[in-house]
Amino acid sequence: MLKNITIGQYFPGNTVIHKLDPRIKIIITLLFIISLFIIDNFLPYLFVSIFIFTSIFISKVPFKFILKGLKPLFFIILITFIINVFMTKGEILFEIGPLDVTKEGLKLATFMALRLIFLIIGTSLLTLTTSPISLTDGIERLLNPFKRIGVPAHELAMMMTIALRFIPTLLEETDKIMKAQMARGADFESGNVLKRAKSLVPLLVPLFISAFRRADELALAMEARCYRGGENRTRMKQLILSRRDYIALGISILLLGLIIVDRLL
Amino acid sequence: MSDVMIKLENVTYKYESNENEGVVALNGINLSINKGEFVVILGHNGSGKSTLAKLINALIVPTSGKVYVNGMDTQDEENIWHIRRTAGMVFQNPDNQLVATIVEEDVAFGPENLGIHPKEIRKRVNEALTAVEMEEYKDYAPHLLSGGQKQRIAIAGVLAMKPECIILDEPTAMLDPSGRKEVINTIKKLNREENKTIVHITHYMDEAVEADRVIVMEKGNIILEGTPKTVFSQVEKVKQIGLDVPQVTELAYMLRKEGIDIPQNILTIEELVSAL
């Protein structure tokens, strides 16, 4: 039952978007988010949609996957929309009971909803087209310059790598413990929420103990392989920026520029 | 440089514990292992064999006595990293020693720690994966591999650091028979073809048959030492400490007892067949 959980939501592919340097992809996503927050009217959303939908088209990620990313946040979008509709003062269009629906409110609500939707689509596209490993790699290298002010870039990346490495192992283990406890009559499926939470104790205790033991052994194994932190460490895979990275970055800066110009005009 | 790879001089190791005196894991061990030798260490749980492995890798230092790896004292802090790249170590649980999420990245972990140039790392990773015959799995995630395959990746990870000696601490204990065979064949190949010194710790007697030397440990002491033939010909003594001899040797021993005249030092099926 736990077998079919995948880590992240990476959609493997071999397109230009997939091949972009992870650092560049992270920066582009950040620029994209900044653009979204600069926008103050509807016209620039046209540029944003052209940009994002072209990217999705090039990446060959089925649109279905993008929508899947939106689904869990549907209620947040809806609540934001409703609150904005009713809470904004202005020219009244019609009334529902004690609540007024204003023209400004409707406009602002649509505006905010669009912002959220684009935000989610943009970040999903990043995680859909970048494997967790290269994402980690990208984050480590982007944070590298901040090491001097005490950002533990290497340690963070190492923690993420180890977490990714051990998620499947621990899932497998959970499955095993669950079956073992069920064989001894443990019941994980019936009862109310409180009872079910309680029934998880015999699952979590052995899982934690085993996780600590694994951590201990892993630390020993890492030391035996000469690990001593990020100092003087080299990497087999070098990230090298190619022309397509510069082009992609250029396009996103252009988008940001357009939106800033629009805002100032 | 001498021909001695590992030398233990009167080594004692005590595990500290709060309640009593502490547990003596090793009791004045003297041992010398030559370069290119294939040594198998046998013993029960708690006989001190894993402690021995950790001492050689400088993961722990002896309570008293000296451990030398290729002439370097493990007690000298400055030697630690050099010792660890000279004597690589493979652990029992394949799951708990792989660090990265992709096979080739994991093999690269050791050389990356040593600060080797990326191109050289790439070369070493490819060589190491070829040596353990896992090159077609280089893009796999470790959790999709079988136990034997994972253990071979762990061996490749050690190989990529170009050690002269590999210490394997019960690498086959958690594997199924086919996985065990894979790992054993890999170890033998490394000893024969790459002339690596091998210290293989196990409790499977069958794995000891092809070693150059067998060392049997019991309660922190070395109680038997010699070629597999001399060690396993002492069937009674081996059995007395609760260990087994290889199946074929046992059969030969029982046949002898029944009055059939065959030599005492039979280790393989072929030998038994020709003797009969």
Side-chain angles (χ1 to χ4, degrees):
Chain A
M1 80 186 255
L2 291 162
K3 276 271 153 68
N4 47 18
I5 295 177
T6 50
I7 318 157
Q9 42 175 356
Y10 181 52
F11 183 82
N14 207 14
T15 66
V16 185
I17 306 270
H18 283 85
K19 280 190 207 149
L20 281 180
D21 189 298
R23 289 173 292 179
I24 295 296
K25 268 194 274 192
I26 296 169
I27 293 174
I28 290 177
T29 312
L30 286 176
L31 288 179
F32 182 74
I33 293 170
I34 294 170
S35 315
L36 285 177
F37 281 95
I38 292 176
I39 292 177
D40 67 344
N41 65 61
F42 283 99
L43 179 70
Y45 275 137
L46 189 68
F47 308 140
V48 171
S49 16
I50 292 172
F51 175 79
I52 198 77
F53 288 112
T54 321
S55 305
I56 294 172
F57 180 74
I58 297 171
S59 74
K60 288 188 187 152
V61 174
F63 201 68
K64 186 170 87 194
F65 278 81
I66 310 265
L67 289 180
K68 233 196 242 168
L70 280 173
K71 220 160 89 190
L73 291 155
F74 177 74
F75 274 102
I76 295 182
I77 297 170
L78 195 72
I79 291 166
T80 320
F81 185 84
I82 292 170
I83 290 177
N84 275 301
V85 164
F86 293 124
M87 295 302 170
T88 316
K89 291 197 163 52
E91 189 186 329
I92 296 169
L93 288 178
F94 54 88
E95 290 173 26
I96 306 172
L99 297 166
D100 303 334
V101 174
T102 63
K103 196 177 161 195
E104 282 78 8
L106 214 53
K107 200 175 147 192
L108 191 67
T110 323
F111 189 77
M112 292 306 257
L114 274 176
R115 178 179 280 171
L116 273 176
I117 290 168
F118 278 119
L119 199 69
I120 296 159
I121 293 179
T123 44
S124 319
L125 193 63
L126 174 70
T127 50
L128 279 166
T129 59
T130 322
S131 69
I133 308 144
S134 44
L135 210 55
T136 314
D137 233 21
I139 293 170
E140 178 179 4
R141 277 165 229 235
L142 278 176
L143 288 177
N144 246 340
F146 301 106
K147 258 188 189 164
R148 250 180 258 162
I149 56 163
V151 177
H154 168 76
E155 286 76 3
L156 279 175
M158 185 51 89
M159 272 158 58
M160 275 166 77
T161 313
I162 291 174
L164 287 171
R165 155 74 187 78
F166 277 90
I167 287 170
T169 310
L170 289 177
L171 278 178
E172 222 170 84
E173 180 128 39
T174 315
D175 208 30
K176 229 187 267 171
I177 298 171
M178 228 164 151
K179 280 185 185 139
Q181 303 287 36
M182 270 150 84
R184 295 178 202 164
D187 181 7
F188 294 109
E189 263 129 35
S190 62
N192 56 24
V193 181
L194 205 68
K195 205 176 160 216
R196 270 201 225 183
K198 258 189 190 161
S199 72
L200 283 179
V201 173
L203 177 68
L204 290 177
V205 171
L207 188 66
F208 266 84
I209 292 173
S210 130
F212 279 119
R213 201 175 41 230
R214 279 179 197 280
D216 208 28
E217 275 180 39
L218 183 71
L220 212 59
M222 283 170 75
E223 266 193 51
R225 282 164 80 183
C226 293
Y227 180 70
R228 54 196 129 159
E231 292 292 311
N232 299 322
R233 207 166 177 269
T234 48
R235 298 302 302 269
M236 174 173 70
K237 281 185 185 149
Q238 300 297 94
L239 291 178
I240 298 157
L241 294 181
S242 62
R243 213 175 54 180
R244 60 169 171 257
D245 295 311
Y246 291 114
I247 294 173
L249 191 62
I251 295 172
S252 344
I253 292 174
L254 195 71
L255 176 77
L256 182 65
L258 266 174
I259 286 163
I260 293 174
V261 169
D262 178 82
R263 170 90 187 234
L264 294 175
L265 286 179
Chain B
M1 289 254 177
S2 64
D3 290 337
V4 179
M5 186 71 229
I6 295 160
K7 195 167 172 61
L8 277 78
E9 283 175 357
N10 209 10
V11 169
T12 298
Y13 188 82
K14 252 189 218 166
Y15 281 100
E16 297 295 334
S17 73
N18 297 331
E19 294 136 44
N20 47 36
E21 292 279 279
V23 182
V24 179
L26 289 177
N27 195 3
I29 299 270
N30 284 296
L31 178 65
S32 159
I33 294 170
N34 291 331
K35 282 185 181 160
E37 207 177 357
F38 183 175
V39 177
V40 166
I41 299 177
L42 293 172
H44 279 298
N45 292 337
S47 61
K49 50 195 192 343
S50 288
T51 310
L52 192 70
K54 283 181 197 158
L55 279 169
I56 299 172
N57 202 251
L59 288 169
I60 51 178
V61 290
T63 315
S64 71
K66 293 271 182 198
V67 179
Y68 295 100
V69 175
N70 210 3
M72 294 174 283
D73 185 351
T74 58
Q75 256 159 332
D76 189 347
E77 287 271 338
E78 291 198 354
N79 287 337
I80 284 184
W81 306 110
H82 219 82
I83 287 167
R84 289 188 187 156
R85 68 193 282 190
T86 310
M89 182 144 164
V90 177
F91 293 83
Q92 180 178 25
N93 189 336
D95 270 324
N96 294 355
Q97 55 182 321
L98 301 180
V99 185
T101 39
I102 287 183
V103 164
E104 61 170 3
E105 294 255 347
D106 187 80
V107 178
F109 181 73
E112 282 177 347
N113 289 335
L114 299 175
I116 287 161
H117 191 271
K119 273 193 189 137
E120 170 71 13
I121 298 182
R122 168 62 66 189
K123 206 180 112 214
R124 285 186 180 196
V125 167
N126 290 342
E127 282 171 6
L129 284 171
T130 313
V132 299
E133 289 161 29
M134 287 291 289
E135 59 272 62
E136 70 259 50
Y137 294 98
K138 70 182 173 72
D139 292 323
Y140 275 57
H143 70 272
L144 299 175
L145 302 175
S146 74
Q149 288 172 327
K150 276 186 237 181
Q151 206 56 291
R152 272 148 72 201
I153 295 303
I155 295 174
V158 168
L159 272 183
M161 299 188 349
K162 300 223 165 172
E164 289 176 58
C165 168
I166 302 177
I167 306 149
L168 302 109
D169 186 2
E170 300 195 39
T172 54
M174 300 183 79
L175 305 181
D176 56 9
S178 69
R180 266 174 61 197
K181 204 174 254 171
E182 284 171 26
V183 171
I184 293 302
N185 288 339
T186 307
I187 298 172
K188 278 189 210 152
K189 188 180 146 202
L190 291 175
N191 179 248
R192 268 197 320 265
E193 290 172 19
E194 316 225 349
N195 203 28
K196 304 273 185 212
T197 311
I198 305 280
V199 180
H200 179 188
I201 296 169
T202 182
H203 51 240
Y204 290 108
M205 303 303 131
D206 300 341
E207 293 173 3
V209 171
E210 287 180 54
D212 295 327
R213 182 149 54 119
V214 177
I215 292 164
V216 181
M217 292 188 64
E218 166 85 348
K219 289 181 188 148
N221 295 302
I222 294 177
I223 53 162
L224 278 174
E225 189 178 350
T227 60
K229 282 198 190 301
T230 51
V231 168
F232 290 127
S233 60
Q234 306 173 49
V235 178
E236 272 117 25
K237 195 164 182 194
V238 173
K239 290 213 155 196
Q240 203 186 346
I241 51 169
L243 289 171
D244 272 325
V245 293
Q247 262 180 357
V248 183
T249 316
E250 170 127 38
L251 179 61
Y253 171 73
M254 281 153 93
L255 287 173
R256 262 179 73 82
K257 257 186 159 173
E258 294 297 316
I260 298 167
D261 183 32
I262 47 172
Q264 208 165 23
N265 52 6
I266 284 170
L267 294 178
T268 62
I269 297 172
E270 288 77 24
E271 281 173 3
L272 184 62
V273 170
S274 66
L276 289 171

